Amino acid sequence: MKPLAGLLALTLLLAGCSSSQSDSARPDAQLTVFAAASLKKTFTELGARFEKDHPGTTVTFNFAGSSDLVTQITQGAPADVFASADTANMTKAVDADAVAGEPVNFAGNTLTIVTPFGNPKKIATFADLARPGTQVVVCAPQVPCGAATEKVEKATGVKLAPVSEESAVTDVLGKVTSGQADAGLVYVTDAASAADDVTAVPFPESTDAVNTYPITVLKEAANSQAAQDFVDLVTGPAGQDVLTAAGFATP
């Protein structure tokens, strides 16, 4: 009986060690953040900081136009945090009962004109975007940067005839940097991130369309505590320093 008992004990010990090693190899938590495309640079930096401060937690981002993100969320896509580039799309998430609490405004952003580096078409004003033969790219109306563009058009009385309407501000920037457009309307933060490839042309009418960015924990969050910790990072001093350095305004 003793040899059998010893064998059984050894088997249980080995199984326990194997289980322990397997558990330690798995990450403790997964955090999924849906964020507006214009937040890619800053949130990637904050995600790395969050992982450092929360060992074992992996942050996964889904960056896209806010309208696309809220559609995915309301259709059941798994996510823990939602950061929108405007309040209108966040309101859609609230109305769909998809958020866990009151969204918090954490940043502001305004539009600027970008042209290929050197501004070959010599665009100087918003009205110049409507000159015949000027190929302009903007965001689609349902996207926050597109809604802001429409506000500027109404404020100035200048109607643009874009050659394409993109689903994310980063796509507009890409069209300009690749030489597929003479100009585009993006956020000042996007222009700053591509300063070596584009020339930014500020215009005073942009103040008529300032976008406010809200963030919230989602109701179906699989990791609500980690989600709240990430929101606290974004809205706290460390997050605000990163956002300000990138050109975002305080809300």
Side-chain angles (χ1 to χ4, degrees), residues 105-134:
N105 296 333
F106 67 93
N109 219 343
T110 56
L111 294 176
T112 189
I113 300 166
V114 288
T115 72
F117 194 78
N119 192 4
K121 289 284 189 175
K122 307 303 179 186
I123 292 169
T125 67
F126 185 81
D128 287 345
L129 298 178
R131 289 190 314 214
T134 302

Side-chain angles (χ1 to χ4, degrees), residues 23 25-34 47 50-51 54-61 78-81 217 220-230:
D23 288 344
R26 290 196 297 264
D28 295 333
Q30 295 282 341
L31 181 68
T32 302
V33 178
F34 279 31
F50 188 87
E51 290 180 344
H54 297 76
T57 299
T58 300
V59 183
T60 301
F61 290 104
D80 301 298
V81 175
V217 176
E220 298 300 322
N223 194 336
S224 57
Q225 184 56 59
Q228 185 59 57
D229 289 345
F230 186 83

Side-chain angles (χ1 to χ4, degrees), residues 176-201:
V176 176
T177 57
S178 65
Q180 297 179 63
D182 298 322
L185 284 164
V186 302
Y187 295 120
V188 294
T189 52
D190 298 289
S193 70
D196 292 337
D197 301 310
V198 300
T199 294
V201 183

Side-chain angles (χ1 to χ4, degrees), residues 35-37 64-71 82-86 89 142-144 167:
S66 299
S67 58
D68 288 341
L69 293 175
V70 75
T71 296
F82 175 41
S84 174
D86 67 350
N89 280 290
Q142 67 271 22
V143 183
S167 61

Side-chain angles (χ1 to χ4, degrees), residues 13-189:
L13 178 62
L14 290 174
C17 290
S18 175
S19 175
S20 176
Q21 291 173 354
S22 176
D23 288 344
S24 64
R26 290 196 297 264
D28 295 333
Q30 295 282 341
L31 181 68
T32 302
V33 178
F34 279 31
S38 52
L39 294 167
K40 185 172 184 178
K41 182 178 179 180
T42 52
F43 269 36
T44 298
E45 180 178 344
L46 291 174
R49 181 175 302 194
F50 188 87
E51 290 180 344
K52 183 178 179 180
D53 294 340
H54 297 76
T57 299
T58 300
V59 183
T60 301
F61 290 104
N62 177 19
F63 294 109
S66 299
S67 58
D68 288 341
L69 293 175
V70 75
T71 296
Q72 293 172 33
I73 291 168
T74 55
Q75 290 180 350
D80 301 298
V81 175
F82 175 41
S84 174
D86 67 350
T87 55
N89 280 290
M90 181 60 76
T91 297
K92 293 178 183 178
V94 172
D95 291 345
D97 197 28
V99 308
E102 187 72 22
V104 180
N105 296 333
F106 67 93
N109 219 343
T110 56
L111 294 176
T112 189
I113 300 166
V114 288
T115 72
F117 194 78
N119 192 4
K121 289 284 189 175
K122 307 303 179 186
I123 292 169
T125 67
F126 185 81
D128 287 345
L129 298 178
R131 289 190 314 214
T134 302
Q135 294 186 315
V136 180
V137 180
V138 300
C139 291
Q142 67 271 22
V143 183
C145 56
T149 297
E150 287 192 329
K151 288 180 182 179
V152 175
E153 287 181 284
K154 290 178 181 177
T156 60
V158 175
K159 184 63 177 177
L160 302 182
V163 293
S164 72
E165 296 181 338
E166 305 298 326
S167 61
V169 67
T170 47
D171 295 333
V172 174
L173 187 64
K175 292 277 189 178
V176 176
T177 57
S178 65
Q180 297 179 63
D182 298 322
L185 284 164
V186 302
Y187 295 120
V188 294
T189 52

